[in-house]
């Protein structure tokens, strides 16, 4: 039970997350790669839900709304204008992490329902590729 809880906490963690949980589950704890990949997708998405709920709470605060309402530079405006595309969002998830991508999307005014599919897709791809690598890499090293 302790190993399963450790795995779940690592997968849901914003630092390391799926990138650390898949090798831990497959190589460290000996869990089946398919089960690890399957479990990492909702556990990794938990970060998105926490950021989204936290953002809703922050939007109730006047100083937070004032901070987000300040004028932005032209570069920031252009970057935020292009947020929310499926492939651009999916590409950012492995690079920045799902929690930071959701934070950027909320700052750009993009709701969670619009970016749920690309984030889940990216988490599934990353989990499957890492699980397959953890399965095949030790055999190739021998």
């Amino acid at each position: 039970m302790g190993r399963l809880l450790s795995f779940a906490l690592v997968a849901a963690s914003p630092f390391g997350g799926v990138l650390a949980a898949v090798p831990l589950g497959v190589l460290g704890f000996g869990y089946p790669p398919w089960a690890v990949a399957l479990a990492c997708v909702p556990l990794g998405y938990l970060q998105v839900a926490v950021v989204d709920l936290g953002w809703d709470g922050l939007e109730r605060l006047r100083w937070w709304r004032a901070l987000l309402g300040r004028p932005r530079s032209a570069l920031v405006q252009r970057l935020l204008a292009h947020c929310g595309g499926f492939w651009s969002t999916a590409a950012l998830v492995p690079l920045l992490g799902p929690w930071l991508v959701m934070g950027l999307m909320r700052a750009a005014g993009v709701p969670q329902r619009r970016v749920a599919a690309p984030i889940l897709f990216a988490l599934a791809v990353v989990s499957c590729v890492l699980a397959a690598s953890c399965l095949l890499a030790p055999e190739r090293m021998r």
Side-chain angles (χ1 to χ4, degrees):
M1 181 68 171
R3 290 166 47 168
L4 188 60
L5 181 61
S6 297
F7 168 75
L9 288 174
V10 170
S13 169
F15 303 103
V18 172
L19 296 176
V22 172
L24 176 68
V26 175
L27 300 175
F29 295 150
Y31 295 146
W34 64 269
V36 169
L38 190 65
C40 278
V41 175
L43 289 170
Y45 196 79
L46 185 60
Q47 300 171 26
V48 172
V50 168
V51 168
D52 196 46
L53 289 173
W55 197 279
D56 288 341
L58 285 172
E59 284 186 339
R60 293 185 187 122
L61 302 173
R62 188 174 0 136
W63 65 268
W64 181 257
R65 288 190 308 266
L67 179 69
L68 291 179
R70 290 181 18 210
R72 299 181 180 121
S73 70
L75 175 63
V76 172
Q77 288 290 74
R78 276 188 283 149
L79 287 172
L80 291 177
H82 295 294
C83 284
F86 185 91
W87 294 112
S88 61
T89 303
L92 285 176
V93 170
L95 298 173
L96 300 177
W99 66 276
L100 188 54
V101 170
M102 189 66 233
L104 290 172
M105 294 302 161
R106 287 301 301 260
V110 179
Q112 180 184 354
R113 67 181 178 275
R114 186 167 163 203
V115 294
I119 291 174
L120 286 168
F121 173 76
L123 287 170
V125 168
V126 167
S127 297
C128 290
V129 167
L130 281 173
S133 298
C134 289
L135 182 67
L136 298 174
E139 293 177 9
R140 301 273 188 224
M141 299 298 275
R142 295 181 198 168

